[in-house]
Amino acid sequence: IEPDGSSLKKYGIIGGSLLAVALVIFAIWFFGFNTHKVDVHVTGFAWNQSVSIEEYQTFHEQGWSCPSGGRVTNQEIRQNGNDKIHDGWDTVPYSSTCYKSEYHSKTCYRNNGNGSKSSYECGSSVQVPYSCTKTKQVERYHYVPHMQNWYWYDIDRWTQILLKQTSGTNHTPVYDPVQPDGDKQRRIEIPGTYTVNFSAEDPGPFSHEYDLKSWLLFNPEGVYQIEVNPVHAIITYPNPVLP
């Protein structure tokens, strides 16, 4: 028995799907698991970080509410939008489309098996559309002004008044020595970015960012390893605790 067109099409779809799955599995293996290790050398470092000086200041603000810690200095009643007031429901007529059932008569014929035919009724009911009037409930309402307190208040908070940045290409990051002036100022040290530069035959020179703790563990004269796939893409970057 020769397969018909639908069977050939079904087999073609199945075969195409299996081929696509096989290609995906091969690509995952080729690019993700078919890797090799490469030695890399540390060639340099780069870092940047900041020091923020903040001051505890009093701010004069206003709004519909006074936040926690704020001290109200004045207030007044203002309109803040409108409130919707329900007044009841109205029955409203509207034009629509209704349907009614109509029976359509039809005569059918059956073969009696002896060369003759007999007729029988085989009509059916159909839904016929017509224009009609329906009613719906519509809400009746009005609006009234919504009155609310508007506040003026004082509030104290820390705010940045100075930012000092430092950067370098050594392996000893330092913060700017700037210090707060008085009890109403404070110093905050803000970590930045910490980069290690590497050299390698494959894939060539590259850089990678680390957190400060990991960055400090790298030996300036160290040799580390990476994993590279067949198209020279780095799969795993150097680990500072492994040679």
Side-chain angles (χ1 to χ4, degrees):
I1 301 175
E2 295 184 1
D4 58 17
S6 62
S7 296
L8 290 175
K9 182 178 179 181
K10 178 177 69 175
Y11 293 144
I13 293 174
I14 294 174
S17 299
L18 292 175
L19 178 61
V21 171
L23 289 174
V24 169
I25 293 173
F26 175 77
I28 292 174
W29 171 82
F30 186 78
F31 294 107
F33 296 99
N34 183 26
T35 63
H36 59 280
K37 294 184 181 297
V38 175
D39 287 341
V40 299
H41 298 261
V42 175
T43 59
F45 300 92
W47 57 269
N48 66 79
Q49 50 194 22
S50 306
V51 168
S52 173
I53 299 297
E54 295 184 348
E55 187 171 75
Y56 200 60
Q57 297 181 356
T58 299
F59 293 87
H60 309 288
E61 299 177 350
Q62 54 185 298
W64 292 112
S65 62
C66 178
S68 176
R71 304 178 297 279
V72 175
T73 58
N74 195 15
Q75 59 182 299
E76 70 178 17
I77 297 294
R78 291 186 179 182
Q79 182 177 349
N80 183 15
N82 296 288
D83 292 326
K84 181 180 177 180
I85 306 301
H86 174 77
D87 294 326
W89 297 92
D90 293 326
T91 301
V92 178
Y94 67 98
S95 298
S96 183
T97 299
C98 296
Y99 294 87
K100 60 182 178 179
S101 179
E102 289 186 357
Y103 184 80
H104 288 190
S105 179
K106 182 180 178 181
T107 300
C108 295
Y109 297 88
R110 65 169 63 91
N111 193 330
N112 294 327
N114 57 6
S116 65
K117 295 182 178 180
S118 58
S119 62
Y120 64 94
E121 175 62 33
C122 59
S124 60
S125 296
V126 296
Q127 298 296 311
V128 179
Y130 66 95
S131 297
C132 62
T133 299
K134 296 182 178 179
T135 61
K136 60 183 177 181
Q137 296 296 304
V138 177
E139 184 182 11
R140 186 171 64 255
Y141 56 87
H142 69 280
Y143 288 99
V144 297
H146 178 81
M147 308 307 293
Q148 187 175 335
N149 280 337
W150 180 265
Y151 298 95
W152 286 264
Y153 56 89
D154 293 341
I155 189 167
D156 301 324
R157 68 168 68 96
W158 291 101
T159 185
Q160 185 183 91
I161 61 172
L162 182 65
L163 183 68
K164 289 286 188 177
Q165 295 181 325
T166 52
S167 62
T169 55
N170 54 23
H171 201 209
T172 311
V174 294
Y175 287 100
D176 189 280
V178 64
Q179 295 296 323
D181 182 13
D183 295 338
K184 287 188 174 294
Q185 292 186 3
R186 67 182 181 183
R187 169 189 168 96
I188 298 178
E189 296 180 348
I190 306 170
T193 57
Y194 307 91
T195 304
V196 183
N197 303 320
F198 301 94
S199 65
E201 292 185 5
D202 179 14
F206 66 95
S207 300
H208 191 63
E209 286 188 9
Y210 294 88
D211 60 82
L212 177 58
K213 182 178 179 181
S214 299
W215 185 82
L216 290 171
L217 292 175
F218 277 99
N219 185 340
E221 305 297 329
V223 178
Y224 300 89
Q225 286 190 332
I226 59 174
E227 281 190 85
V228 180
N229 69 13
V231 294
H232 313 292
I234 299 174
I235 303 301
T236 58
Y237 283 91
N239 186 329
V241 298
L242 297 175

